[in-house]
């Protein structure tokens, strides 16, 4: 079982704001990183650290954290944002990495 | 531009050993960072397998540790995965990625910033 918990599916209307969450005890000590995976493609890093976007990632993607919960927010969701989103962090021991189960985002 | 490319057999028989290699270009493995393997069974989520540093230091997923070995060849700028005693449950797309965590620092959260395209490995007789 995953040490990071995500909602299996979330939907958002085109142009609206959506928040995808990731819960786990290790998130009290470590930031989560977030990955977008479109169908049939490799994952892409979209947020890391406190709230850092790699080059080329639109500024509608942002990250935040509070207690044992990390969040990925998409402000003004676009059709191309429809994808699976995964969080990742170190586990409670610090010696291993763990992924959340993933959230399937549907843009309506 | 950092690029990673997985290679290896696409079909492995049950009980045999899965072997994959990840060739890295645009960055020297000897410079820094860990380098990791991640897999994704068809229709399922991502699973971290393990990561290696250029010195050979490794960290493995506890659920796979008894069957996994990751090695690095800095002269060829590549690293490799071996998974023994495979079963159908090991059928997955296998990705290699650059792992930017500092396992030696409690303050490092890390991320996987560059990924290969992935290679499907099917375990079947």
């Amino acid at each position: 079982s995953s040490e990071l918990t995500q909602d299996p599916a979330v939907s958002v209307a085109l142009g609206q704001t959506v928040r995808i969450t990731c819960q786990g005890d290790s998130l009290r000590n470590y930031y989560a990183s977030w990955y977008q995976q479109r169908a049939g493609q490799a994952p892409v890093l979209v947020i890391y650290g406190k709230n850092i976007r790699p080059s080329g990632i639109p500024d509608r993607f942002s990250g935040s954290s509070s207690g044992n919960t990390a969040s990925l927010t998409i402000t003004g969701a676009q059709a191309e944002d429809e994808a699976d989103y995964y969080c990742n962090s170190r586990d409670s021991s610090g010696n291993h990495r763990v992924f959340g189960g993933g959230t399937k985002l549907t843009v309506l | 531009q950092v690029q990673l490319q997985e290679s290896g057999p696409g079909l492995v028989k049950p009980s045999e050993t899965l072997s994959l290699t990840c060739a890295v270009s645009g960055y020297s493995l000897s410079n820094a960072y860990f380098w990791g393997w991640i897999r994704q069974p068809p229709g399922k989520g991502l699973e971290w397998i393990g990561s290696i540093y250029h010195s050979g230091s490794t960290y493995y997923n506890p659920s796979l540790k008894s069957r996994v070995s990751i090695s690095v060849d800095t002269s060829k700028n590549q690293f490799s995965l071996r998974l023994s005693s495979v079963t159908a449950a090991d059928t997955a797309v296998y990705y290699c990625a650059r792992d930017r965590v500092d396992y030696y620092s409690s303050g490092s959260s890390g991320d996987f910033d560059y990924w290969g395209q992935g290679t499907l490995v099917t375990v079947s007789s």
Side-chain angles (χ1 to χ4, degrees):
Chain A
S1 64
S2 174
E3 292 185 32
L4 296 179
T5 302
Q6 297 183 241
D7 291 329
V10 172
S11 62
V12 61
L14 185 67
Q16 296 303 300
T17 296
V18 63
R19 174 175 292 182
I20 298 170
T21 60
C22 174
Q23 288 188 305
D25 286 342
S26 65
L27 298 180
R28 298 184 185 279
N29 300 314
Y30 303 110
Y31 291 115
S33 52
W34 290 94
Y35 304 85
Q36 176 192 69
Q37 186 178 36
R38 296 188 175 115
Q41 297 185 19
V44 173
L45 177 67
V46 294
I47 290 289
Y48 67 96
K50 191 172 184 179
N51 179 20
I52 304 172
R53 284 176 290 104
S55 174
I57 301 301
D59 61 5
R60 63 179 179 271
F61 289 88
S62 63
S64 61
S65 183
S66 179
N68 72 336
T69 302
S71 301
L72 173 71
T73 300
I74 306 174
T75 304
Q78 302 300 302
E80 60 264 32
D81 298 335
E82 188 162 287
D84 295 325
Y85 291 85
Y86 294 90
C87 59
N88 176 269
S89 188
R90 295 169 79 170
D91 71 354
S92 299
S93 76
N95 292 327
H96 312 112
R97 312 298 292 283
V98 60
F99 284 94
T103 297
K104 182 177 182 59
L105 175 66
T106 301
V107 180
L108 304 172
Chain B
Q1 176 78 358
V2 181
Q3 293 185 313
L4 296 89
Q5 179 68 58
E6 305 90 350
S7 62
L11 181 64
V12 181
K13 289 182 169 55
S15 81
E16 296 190 344
T17 296
L18 177 161
S19 295
L20 296 174
T21 295
C22 181
V24 180
S25 59
Y27 191 87
S28 172
L29 293 181
S30 300
N31 281 355
Y33 300 126
F34 277 77
W35 302 83
W37 287 97
I38 297 116
R39 70 179 183 178
Q40 184 173 37
K44 296 187 178 181
L46 300 170
E47 179 182 35
W48 174 73
I49 299 170
S51 297
I52 190 167
Y53 197 58
H54 63 77
S55 64
S57 177
T58 52
Y59 291 85
Y60 297 132
N61 186 322
S63 69
L64 298 169
K65 187 174 182 178
S66 63
R67 299 193 292 130
V68 171
S69 175
I70 298 176
S71 59
V72 63
D73 186 338
T74 54
S75 67
K76 295 182 178 179
N77 216 42
Q78 63 187 35
F79 59 107
S80 300
L81 169 70
R82 288 173 59 87
L83 181 65
S84 64
S85 305
V86 297
T87 69
D90 295 309
T91 293
V93 174
Y94 285 77
Y95 296 100
C96 57
R98 188 168 77 172
D99 183 354
R100 292 198 298 183
V101 72
D102 179 356
Y103 286 97
Y104 309 123
S105 168
S106 61
S108 171
S109 295
D111 57 71
F112 298 98
D113 62 341
Y114 289 100
W115 295 65
Q117 65 187 29
T119 186
L120 174 64
V121 179
T122 301
V123 178
S124 175
S125 55

